[in-house]
């Protein structure tokens, strides 16, 4: 263990973790040393005889726990992207230990007493100090000993249940996969797609995280679509019970901390501030969205010639879109080759807006041979950071797409950022990787998160990059989606992978014309998931749920969003965002952030679009600030006014 790579900072460029040197047996000793080291550092801060100052208390806490931070960052990246049975066992063991470790710090009465005495005149320090005070209060620092003991028990149980939920869901993506023996049943997929699914003489289609699997739009065999859909909505059934238990425990914890329910507790440190504000916004959307979905269902039924079922929606939706707009989504795929999308699309847009450039670093490796590392530089040649890309799906990777930091930008430590994007694109057995339009949009979205991390210019790691409220963090990434279809950007990357010919102008026009198509369905499936999350976390203390599926159905009915043909984007049993991903009572964040996004897209269009002046303004006023000031102040500094919901309503066809 003397050579444990976590015991010292990485000597690779930008302190990129030395993945080639890290073995599973390194994690537990590094976690143990890291926790012990940080507790000793915290004890020294709490027991100091010096008067408490910002530097000897708050900044000292920021400097603490370096080994633990390096270890946890790498471990949870691997657990999400390339896990093993060994990693999963370590995760089960270490998650409750890390929860106890966090409680030991935030429930330290001597430390809390010092934090309450700290004062500072510096604006960034004042904001960070307020964040620390809020963190400690929300963690239970002011509770009695008896209450804190119960809080520790609740936190430990929740940590264990969350890990079990996530691991059960990961296994279900392969255990509940659609398996067929006859490739004729996969009619609708192209040959390359079918070839990529062949495993041990059978064709295996793993499940992605959400309800409506992409294959439902393509598979011509109705019974195969039904089987795929039912596998999707019925996966990981044991998670129903785990979710109900977690919701009950969260309600009890909220009561301990002085809140009527977990939703009220959850939003107090968000930009929404109150549960009433969230409910008011959602209430404006449900009725119009349900009406729009009803109109769409009528058109699909007419197209099909029979009463459709949920597994028919995506398939006949494509048929209607083709009939109305002469638009075939599959016809776009040859123009969306993965490498070109990134190098000539995503990177090109970033260069035009912000002047940054990208160079592949083949000498820097990741944890898997599919991982690529790029060095990012400013226009003047100065180093900005590293961007790490892991695009492909695999059995050892959780579903969805996400961004995470491998190294936080921080002037305190002199660190430049290392940020990572994970996608779940199916890797072809051979030939180029061709993306769907939705996958292109996801790639631009996740890179928006990456830019938020790369452009961070803050002193303290607690407020670095994307360390902003949950209902604000999606905003910059949503804005970045606009460049995927911006004419100048699209013309630069949307070229046929064989001929190099640009995407035909008529296909681009059809894409633009069809943008609002199916918005009723998309909005209802999102709102249904959001209101399901909200219902689980509005449970009163002491309230229990014996039948989670019945609770789910009743919650959707009560919210008036129980549309039979449109199930929630995530049902309870695979709603990882809220039961394993830090978004409990927070899935509303996407639509809340979209209010700011729609406003910002409008601003870019009003001011000339893809220009350096616009990019520099967005970078300076918002992206570079991380969480170092009030996020809505950063928005106002960028936009010049308070946000309005009207641009969002217009975008989604709800005005």
């Amino acid at each position: 263990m003397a050579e444990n790579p976590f015991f010292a900072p990485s000597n690779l460029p930008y302190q990129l973790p030395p993945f080639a040197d890290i073995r599973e047996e390194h994690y537990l000793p590094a976690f143990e040393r890291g926790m012990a080291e940080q507790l000793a550092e915290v004890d020294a801060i709490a027991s100091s005889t010096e008067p408490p100052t910002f530097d000897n208390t708050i900044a000292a806490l920021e400097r603490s726990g370096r080994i633990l931070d390096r270890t946890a960052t790498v471990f949870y990246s691997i657990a999400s992207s390339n896990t093993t049975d060994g990693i999963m066992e370590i995760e089960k063991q270490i998650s409750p230990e890390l929860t106890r470790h966090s409680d030991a710090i935030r429930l330290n009465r001597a430390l809390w007493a010092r934090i309450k005495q700290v004062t500072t005149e510096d604006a960034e320090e004042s904001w960070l100090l307020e964040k620390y005070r809020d963190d400690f209060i929300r963690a239970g620092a002011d509770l009695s000993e008896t209450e804190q003991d119960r809080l520790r028990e609740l936190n430990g149980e929740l940590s264990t249940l969350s890990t079990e939920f996530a691991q059960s869901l990961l296994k279900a993506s392969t255990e509940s996969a659609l398996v067929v023996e006859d490739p004729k049943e996969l009619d609708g997929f192209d040959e390359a797609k079918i070839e990529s699914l062949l495993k041990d003489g059978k064709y295996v289609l793993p499940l992605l995280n959400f309800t409506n699997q992409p294959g439902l739009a393509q598979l011509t065999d109705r019974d195969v679509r039904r089987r795929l859909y039912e596998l999707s909505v019925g996966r990981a059934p044991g998670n129903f019970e785990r979710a109900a238990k977690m919701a009950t425990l969260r309600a009890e914890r909220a009561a301990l901390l002085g809140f009527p329910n977990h939703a009220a507790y959850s939003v107090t440190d968000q930009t929404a501030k109150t549960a009433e504000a969230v409910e008011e916004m959602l209430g404006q959307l449900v009725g119009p969205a349900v009406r729009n979905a009803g109109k769409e269902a009528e058109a699909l039924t007419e197209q099909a010639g029979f009463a459709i079922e949920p597994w028919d929606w995506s398939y006949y939706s494509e048929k209607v879109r083709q009939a109305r707009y002469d638009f075939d989504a599959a016809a776009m795929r040859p123009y969306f080759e993965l490498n070109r999308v990134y190098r000539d699309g995503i990177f090109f847009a970033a260069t035009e807006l912000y002047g940054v450039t990208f160079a592949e670093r083949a000498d820097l490796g990741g944890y898997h041979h599919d991982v690529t590392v790029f060095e990012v530089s400013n226009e003047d040649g100065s180093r900005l950071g590293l961007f790490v890309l892991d695009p492909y799906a695999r059995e050892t990777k959780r579903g969805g797409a996400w961004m995470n930091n491998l190294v936080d930008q921080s002037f305190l430590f002199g660190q430049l950022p290392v940020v990572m994007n994970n996608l779940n694109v199916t890797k072809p057995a051979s030939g180029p990787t061709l993306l769907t339009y939705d996958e292109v949009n996801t790639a631009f979205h996740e890179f928006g998160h990456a830019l938020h991390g790369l452009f961070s210019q803050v002193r303290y790691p607690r407020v670095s990059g994307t360390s902003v409220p949950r209902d604000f963090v999606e905003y910059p990434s949503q804005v970045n989606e606009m460049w995927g279809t911006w004419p100048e950007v699209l013309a630069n990357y949307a070229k046929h992978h064989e001929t190099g010919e640009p995407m035909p102008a008529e296909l681009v026009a059809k894409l633009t014309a069809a943008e609002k198509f199916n918005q009723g369905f998309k909005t209802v499936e999102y709102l249904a998931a959001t209101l399901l999350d909200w219902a689980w976390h509005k449970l009163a203390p002491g309230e229990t749920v014996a039948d989670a599926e019945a609770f789910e159905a009743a919650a959707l009915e009560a919210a008036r969003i129980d549309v039979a043909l449109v199930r929630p984007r995530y049902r309870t049993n695979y709603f990882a965002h809220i039961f394993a991903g830090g978004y409990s009572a927070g899935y509303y964040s996407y639509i809340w952030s979209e209010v700011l996004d729609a406003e910002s897209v409008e601003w870019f269009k009003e001011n000339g679009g893809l220009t350096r002046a616009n990019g520099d303004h967005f970078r300076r006023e918002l992206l570079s600030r991380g969480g170092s000031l009030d996020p809505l102040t950063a928005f106002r500094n960028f936009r010049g006014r308070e946000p309005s919901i009207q641009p969002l309503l217009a975008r989604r066809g709800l005005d």
Side-chain angles (χ1 to χ4, degrees), residues 169-431:
L169 187 54
L170 178 62
K171 291 177 181 177
S173 67
T174 51
E175 291 175 354
S176 297
L178 176 71
V179 180
V180 302
E181 296 186 2
D182 186 351
K184 292 179 182 178
E185 291 188 277
L186 300 177
D187 180 59
F189 287 164
D190 58 37
E191 290 183 11
K193 173 76 171 178
I194 293 173
E195 184 183 2
S196 71
L197 302 178
L198 184 59
K199 293 182 181 179
D200 301 323
K202 296 182 180 180
Y203 297 88
V204 181
L205 182 61
L207 297 178
L208 298 184
N209 258 20
F210 36 79
T211 296
N212 279 284
Q213 302 298 300
L216 294 171
Q218 301 164 282
L219 293 165
T220 62
D221 188 318
R222 192 178 186 215
D223 188 61
V224 174
R225 293 201 304 270
R226 177 192 59 78
R227 285 156 50 197
L228 176 59
Y229 182 85
E230 290 178 349
L231 286 166
S232 179
V233 298
R235 75 185 95 168
N239 276 349
F240 280 113
E241 184 178 348
R242 293 185 184 97
K245 179 66 173 174
M246 289 179 74
T248 298
L249 295 175
R250 285 170 175 166
E252 182 184 349
R253 182 174 63 182
L256 265 180
L257 295 166
F259 294 90
N261 50 59
H262 181 75
Y265 164 77
S266 181
V267 300
T268 54
D269 66 342
Q270 303 298 302
T271 64
K273 300 300 182 187
T274 68
E276 290 75 19
V278 175
E279 290 164 359
E280 180 183 356
M281 185 197 67
L282 296 177
Q284 296 181 62
L285 304 176
V286 170
V290 169
R291 286 194 294 274
N292 284 359
K295 293 175 185 177
E296 292 166 5
E298 291 173 5
L300 302 190
T301 299
E302 182 179 348
Q303 176 72 33
F306 55 83
I308 63 169
E309 296 288 349
W311 48 84
D312 296 316
W313 187 294
S314 296
Y315 183 77
Y316 286 102
S317 178
E318 283 303 309
K319 297 294 184 188
V320 170
R321 180 156 61 173
Q322 288 176 27
R324 285 187 182 177
Y325 304 101
D326 191 24
F327 176 79
D328 181 5
M332 304 187 78
R333 290 192 67 203
Y335 298 92
F336 293 152
E337 191 273 321
L338 175 69
N339 288 319
R340 184 166 270 161
V341 167
Y342 271 93
R343 296 169 193 261
D344 298 339
I346 292 171
F347 293 169
F348 171 76
T351 300
E352 293 297 299
L353 282 166
Y354 309 112
V356 294
T357 55
F358 302 80
E360 185 174 344
R361 290 290 302 264
D363 58 316
L364 298 178
Y367 49 80
H368 190 277
H369 57 77
D370 286 335
V371 173
T372 307
V373 180
F374 298 89
E375 186 169 29
V376 190
S377 302
N378 287 304
E379 188 175 37
D380 62 5
S382 61
R383 301 184 311 156
L384 183 61
L386 294 180
F387 172 64
V388 182
L389 176 64
D390 182 0
Y392 293 118
R394 48 184 170 268
E395 291 184 1
T396 57
K397 190 179 195 179
R398 70 175 170 91
W402 66 95
M403 170 269 188
N404 61 283
N405 284 6
L406 293 173
V407 179
D408 291 328
Q409 179 275 329
S410 164
F411 294 139
L412 182 68
F413 295 116
Q415 291 177 172
L416 294 172
V418 178
V419 303
M420 184 169 190
N421 276 177
N422 269 274
L423 308 179
N424 260 284
V425 176
T426 300
K427 187 175 184 179
S430 59

Side-chain angles (χ1 to χ4, degrees), residues 69-122:
D69 180 67
R70 288 192 293 270
T71 307
T73 296
V74 172
F75 177 79
Y76 283 103
S77 294
I78 298 298
S80 295
S81 302
N82 198 33
T83 196
T84 65
D85 289 343
I87 291 289
M88 293 174 79
E89 284 303 313
I90 294 170
E91 188 176 17
K92 288 179 183 177
Q93 178 178 339
I94 205 65
S95 291
E97 291 185 26
L98 288 171
T99 299
R100 287 192 290 272
H101 175 76
S102 177
D103 285 342
I105 295 172
R106 293 184 175 182
L107 301 181
N108 183 316
R109 294 190 182 280
L111 178 63
W112 177 224
R114 287 184 66 83
I115 290 173
K116 288 190 287 187
Q117 297 177 62
V118 173
T119 60
T120 178
E121 298 297 320
D122 179 85

Side-chain angles (χ1 to χ4, degrees), residues 3 6 34 121 142 194 332 344 356 373 595 611 617 619:
E3 298 179 1
F6 293 115
E121 298 297 320
D142 282 333
I194 293 173
M332 304 187 78
D344 298 339
V356 294
V373 180
V595 172
T611 69
H617 179 61
R619 178 178 179 176

Side-chain angles (χ1 to χ4, degrees), residues 142-188:
D142 282 333
L143 298 182
S144 68
E145 290 290 347
T146 301
E147 290 170 329
Q148 287 187 354
D149 287 344
R150 179 56 183 154
L151 185 65
R152 290 185 179 93
E153 292 173 1
L154 291 169
N155 288 341
E157 287 185 71
L158 284 165
S159 175
T160 298
L161 286 166
S162 178
T163 300
E164 290 175 355
F165 188 102
Q167 293 189 355
S168 173
L169 187 54
L170 178 62
K171 291 177 181 177
S173 67
T174 51
E175 291 175 354
S176 297
L178 176 71
V179 180
V180 302
E181 296 186 2
D182 186 351
K184 292 179 182 178
E185 291 188 277
L186 300 177
D187 180 59

